[in-house]
Amino acid sequence: DQQVKQNSPSLSVQEGRISILNCDYTNSMFDYFLWYKKYPAEGPTFLISISSIKDKNEDGRFTVFLNKSAKHLSLHIVPSQPGDSAVYFCAATSYNNNDMRFGAGTRLTVKP
Amino acid sequence: GAGVSQSPRYKVAKRGQDVALRCDPISGHVSLFWYQQALGQGPEFLTYFQNEAQLDKSGLPSDRFFAERPEGSVSTLKIQRTQQEDSAVYLCASSWRDSLTTEAFFGQGTRLTVV
């Protein structure tokens, strides 16, 4: 069963505009959420995370929003840059668990 | 090394062959994870080590899959009698703490193709 879902397999955005990547989860036990970025032929690299006690976490151009009641989180990138073009994975886990569940990923393309 | 290193990068195995995939985590990292990523999917959890102890192997798909980390550093994922459905990228990740709520560093993965 897919406990973490990224329903958009791809997203294309113009350079300088905002990119919004969405993620939904079904397991209410998840209390920690992460975004990973993956370039071709490389492993995923950690981007930003958020604990369930917060609804927003910001790091430079990247902001993650969490809506616990909707079991939804989103990653905002503003302004988007061509170097942001990659596959973005949403992941979820809980503090007492060793199993991090990933979504299927969204391929972001930022056009110059 | 500076990061998580996996070898080989690519492996082609004939159906029924045994394979061994190696992971060198970042020095000093306590936790080590193996993930399987099928084409077009996100990584799926296989197993977790804390030092040399395998604390969770609930994600291993069958008893053909076996993982070890005997000295708490390098880990090997072994797949016996490979099947075509085993074709995937196998990712290893390590973390300096015993929780996934800290950043886990991933290796580049081993792409296994079973023909």
Side-chain angles (χ1 to χ4, degrees):
Chain A
D1 63 342
Q2 250 195 316
Q3 297 186 34
V4 178
K5 296 179 183 178
Q6 293 176 258
N7 292 320
S8 297
S10 63
L11 174 68
S12 183
V13 169
Q14 205 66 35
E15 181 179 6
R17 307 294 288 269
I18 185 170
S19 296
I20 300 176
L21 296 97
N22 293 303
C23 177
D24 297 289
Y25 62 95
T26 57
N27 190 339
S28 57
M29 298 301 291
F30 290 144
D31 52 19
Y32 198 82
F33 306 89
L34 309 93
W35 284 94
Y36 277 82
K37 177 179 178 180
K38 185 181 182 304
Y39 291 118
E42 294 184 11
T45 56
F46 171 79
L47 189 58
I48 193 169
S49 63
I50 188 166
S51 164
S52 60
I53 62 173
K54 295 184 174 182
D55 55 19
K56 177 183 173 181
N57 188 26
E58 192 172 350
D59 183 2
R61 296 185 298 112
F62 303 91
T63 303
V64 56
F65 295 92
L66 175 63
N67 182 335
K68 278 175 33 182
S69 60
K71 294 192 178 68
H72 177 83
L73 63 155
S74 60
L75 174 67
H76 292 210
I77 307 173
V78 56
S80 301
Q81 300 173 354
D84 296 331
S85 297
V87 177
Y88 288 79
F89 291 101
C90 170
T93 187
S94 59
Y95 281 91
N96 61 353
N97 199 344
N98 305 311
D99 181 358
M100 184 160 54
R101 300 280 179 155
F102 284 82
T106 296
R107 181 178 300 279
L108 173 66
T109 302
V110 180
K111 297 179 178 178
Chain B
V4 178
S5 177
Q6 291 187 246
S7 60
R9 288 293 311 279
Y10 303 93
K11 175 70 180 177
V12 178
K14 289 186 178 177
R15 202 171 110 184
Q17 187 179 349
D18 296 350
V19 298
L21 312 180
R22 178 186 168 106
C23 173
D24 281 87
I26 294 173
S27 178
H29 275 196
V30 167
S31 297
L32 186 144
F33 309 87
W34 282 99
Y35 282 84
Q36 179 190 60
Q37 185 177 12
L39 190 64
Q41 301 296 317
E44 291 201 7
F45 172 81
L46 292 177
T47 187
Y48 162 66
F49 289 86
Q50 188 179 113
N51 296 307
E52 70 279 2
Q54 188 175 20
L55 298 186
D56 188 342
K57 53 182 181 179
S58 62
L60 296 177
S62 78
D63 58 7
R64 297 186 294 104
F65 286 70
F66 172 77
E68 59 182 5
R69 193 186 185 197
E71 296 177 359
S73 55
V74 171
S75 176
T76 304
L77 176 67
K78 297 179 180 177
I79 309 173
Q80 297 177 321
R81 305 181 303 281
T82 52
Q83 303 294 316
Q84 281 193 316
E85 63 262 28
D86 300 335
S87 296
V89 174
Y90 290 85
L91 293 164
C92 174
S94 70
S95 172
W96 69 276
R97 285 180 64 177
D98 59 356
S99 166
L100 276 166
T101 56
T102 55
E103 179 183 349
F105 294 84
F106 281 83
Q108 292 175 301
T110 294
R111 181 178 294 279
L112 172 65
T113 303
V114 181
V115 297

